[in-house]
Amino acid sequence: MAAWQLLIGKLGADVNINSSQTRLNGQVKLGLSSWQVDNMSGKIAPETLASMVNWQLPNAPIQVNNVSLTRQADKNDASSSEPAKDVGGFSAADGQLTWVGGEVGYPSGGKVFLYYDARSKSRA
């Protein structure tokens, strides 16, 4: 990372995440009002997903291939009469997330809907 980026409040690092069967590596950059993930690749184990998210996830690893995300926290124009609101969001996303099959359940309207990958066996 260039020294001038430190002067404008950005910090970056190469990151390796190893937990159970999860293995990810890439670059993370943090700024005063933004963050960015570049070239993240590896595998996220189902156990890691289940510990982070409280719904039925595929019982198979998710492969992460060259994923990049940019998030910018933007404030409304200070000259308006309304209080400033965080209207930021993801300004860029690229890469590929792949899971190898099985069913995925997701809640909606008090029901749990199941999605079956065409490669998986149907449930009787």
Side-chain angles (χ1 to χ4, degrees):
M1 187 169 87
W4 64 269
Q5 288 183 332
L6 289 175
L7 294 174
I8 60 172
K10 287 188 178 180
L11 180 65
D14 287 333
V15 175
N16 289 310
I17 300 170
N18 296 307
S19 172
S20 181
Q21 297 296 317
T22 296
R23 305 282 183 264
L24 292 171
N25 61 48
Q27 295 85 39
V28 175
K29 298 174 185 171
L30 302 172
L32 295 175
S33 63
S34 65
W35 58 264
Q36 185 174 339
V37 174
D38 287 326
N39 305 316
M40 190 64 71
S41 294
K43 178 178 77 169
I44 304 173
E47 299 83 19
T48 303
L49 292 168
S51 70
M52 295 184 329
V53 182
N54 189 16
W55 76 68
Q56 296 176 2
L57 291 166
N59 192 14
I62 293 181
Q63 187 68 36
V64 179
N65 298 312
N66 203 25
V67 170
S68 296
L69 300 169
T70 301
R71 177 147 188 349
Q72 182 72 37
D74 233 354
K75 300 291 182 191
N76 279 346
D77 184 15
S79 64
S80 77
S81 60
E82 296 179 25
K85 295 179 184 174
D86 184 359
V87 294
F90 289 97
S91 58
D94 193 20
Q96 184 178 36
L97 298 175
T98 307
W99 59 285
V100 295
E103 65 185 39
V104 177
Y106 58 94
S108 179
K111 297 179 183 178
V112 175
F113 295 91
L114 296 177
Y115 169 78
Y116 296 93
D117 183 19
R119 295 169 290 188
S120 67
K121 296 178 182 177
S122 61
R123 208 164 74 169

